[in-house]
Amino acid sequence: MSLVPGDDVDALAAAALSELKQQRTTWILEALVDVHLVESRSPGRYRLHDLVRVYATQLAAAEEPEADRDRVLARLVDVYLHFAYRAAHQISATTVRVLTEGMAKYDLGLPGFVDKAAALAWFRAERANLAAAVTASWRSGNLEAAWHLATAFGAFRLADRDYEEYLRINDAALEISRDLGNTAYEAVTLADRGRHLLVEGRCGEAITCLEQAVARYRDLGDDAAAAMALRTMGIAHRQSGRFAQALDVYGAALVVADAAGEPLARVVVRANMVAPLLRLGRLADAERCLDETERLLEEGTSTTASASTATGAPWPVRRATRSVPPWCTAPASTAADSSGSAPASVPSWWSSGRT
């Protein structure tokens, strides 16, 4: 537990650390609580007393090779990524494709969350731990996982008001993407930063970030993502009272979306065009825009379907080749999770509270 980057863990995270089954891990943790070596300030969550943690950290550094310590941290981060992407998918509607691909890449075969409330409760319990894990993974050299965890974390920007924390995590993601030399990751992070700044009301800065994201998406040939970034840029202009400029940007987004054959972007952009048209007094154009949006929706376009079939993934998606950790090998059921993914085996140590 001295290797946990945050303040506490639940039994599932501790099971990943120790590679023991959850039931046995819980028994050990409760035994440690009984002898005052571990604290439990809320049911099911465990932490080391500060002095015990200092001693345990020194002991681990002296007795465990750095490579072994990094592998333990990586197991914990994989658990965080599995649930962070599934929770984010319940919360955010603005980065559906990114989150869907992240869920596939970091799938441990465990259930997800039944609804938004369950996902948000998990995030609030783990928020500080997730932020600390981004930094710890980055420092350990596990850049790929660090970037993904920072990206999943950013999807919760509307869950609370600590905007500076989200920008700090986004700063880390941006630097990591550049350390990796991955232009696709950088584009995703710049677009995400634009959304963070937009939520904070810093529209001018948001537009600058989104312009950079669009340029990188176009260089990569990812016109679908470029169209969505242009759509967000249009929102920034609209919120700044520049309605004519917003329509210009939305028009550019439609051109790019049409070129990409991306129905989701066409629907979303047209829906966003209605407000500036109304503010400019162009009522007939607003009505036509609504009619066209309804027509596209009637043709069967939906956010979920479009996101699941979108191309241009910024990272390789490996649905069936990810190895299952040794601490999640005993199947207990085959219920599909709330993300709609294929049924996955549920390990025996899995508690029923999140199914």
Side-chain angles (χ1 to χ4, degrees):
M1 284 183 65
S2 66
L3 301 179
V4 175
D7 184 64
D8 67 354
V9 291
D10 61 10
L12 172 61
L17 288 167
S18 61
E19 292 190 291
L20 297 174
K21 293 184 178 180
Q22 187 178 2
Q23 184 177 10
R24 177 166 173 76
T25 301
T26 301
W27 182 86
I28 292 172
L29 288 169
E30 289 295 338
L32 291 171
V33 169
D34 290 342
V35 295
H36 308 292
L37 290 176
V38 169
E39 299 175 341
S40 182
R41 295 181 176 178
S42 60
R45 302 200 67 85
Y46 304 91
R47 69 182 298 275
L48 292 175
H49 184 279
D50 293 344
L51 292 177
V52 175
R53 185 182 182 109
V54 169
Y55 174 72
T57 300
Q58 293 173 344
L59 199 63
E63 297 186 358
E64 301 293 337
E66 183 178 6
D68 289 349
R69 300 198 304 272
D70 288 345
R71 280 192 289 272
V72 170
L73 175 62
R75 289 199 301 268
L76 175 64
V77 171
D78 278 354
V79 171
Y80 285 156
L81 279 164
H82 174 90
F83 291 108
Y85 269 127
R86 279 157 179 74
H89 195 269
Q90 289 277 359
I91 299 298
S92 176
T94 58
T95 53
V96 174
R97 190 186 69 172
V98 170
L99 301 179
T100 300
E101 290 161 356
M103 286 197 301
K105 183 177 176 68
Y106 289 96
D107 183 3
L108 296 183
L110 300 172
F113 299 92
V114 295
D115 55 26
K116 182 176 179 179
L120 193 54
W122 177 86
F123 173 74
R124 286 173 173 162
E126 301 288 355
R127 184 184 187 279
N129 295 327
L130 298 176
V134 170
T135 302
S137 294
W138 185 12
R139 289 175 177 170
S140 73
N142 191 2
L143 302 186
E144 184 82 10
W147 182 85
H148 276 281
L149 192 57
T151 299
F153 188 94
F156 294 90
R157 71 181 66 84
L158 298 179
D160 55 38
R161 300 289 182 179
D162 190 0
Y163 301 137
E164 289 305 314
E165 175 77 348
Y166 288 97
L167 288 174
R168 184 185 69 79
I169 296 296
N170 182 267
D171 283 340
L174 190 57
E175 190 168 342
I176 291 166
S177 70
R178 290 167 178 168
D179 288 345
L180 288 166
N182 192 315
T183 304
Y185 285 11
E186 185 181 4
V188 169
T189 306
L190 284 167
D192 213 22
R193 186 171 189 80
R195 287 186 287 268
H196 289 314
L197 292 165
L198 184 60
V199 169
E200 200 171 349
R202 295 158 63 178
C203 295
E205 295 172 75
I207 289 168
T208 299
C209 286
L210 291 162
E211 287 173 343
Q212 295 173 22
V214 169
R216 284 158 178 76
Y217 281 134
R218 297 305 301 273
D219 288 342
L220 292 164
D222 192 347
D223 287 344
M228 294 303 287
L230 283 166
R231 168 255 188 181
T232 307
M233 194 188 308
I235 294 173
H237 281 293
R238 188 192 74 202
Q239 291 187 358
S240 301
R242 297 188 292 269
F243 304 117
Q245 291 93 325
L247 289 176
D248 288 342
V249 174
Y250 287 144
L254 282 178
V255 171
V256 175
D258 287 338
E262 178 50 55
L264 169 64
R266 288 202 296 266
V267 170
V268 171
V269 172
R270 287 188 182 279
N272 277 270
M273 291 176 73
V274 174
L277 285 169
L278 290 173
R279 295 299 295 267
L280 292 170
R282 295 168 56 179
L283 304 186
D285 289 337
E287 185 174 0
R288 280 193 293 272
C289 193
L290 279 173
D291 290 342
E292 178 64 11
T293 302
E294 290 176 358
R295 183 188 68 78
L296 289 170
L297 287 171
E298 288 170 359
E299 289 177 355
T301 302
S302 70
T303 298
T304 302
S306 298
S308 65
T309 59
T311 58
W315 56 80
V317 176
R318 301 184 295 277
R319 290 184 180 274
T321 61
R322 184 171 175 79
S323 60
V324 178
W327 44 270
C328 56
T329 56
S333 74
T334 56
D337 72 11
S338 60
S339 67
S341 60
S345 297
V346 181
S348 60
W349 44 261
W350 175 251
S351 61
S352 61
R354 293 188 199 138
T355 56

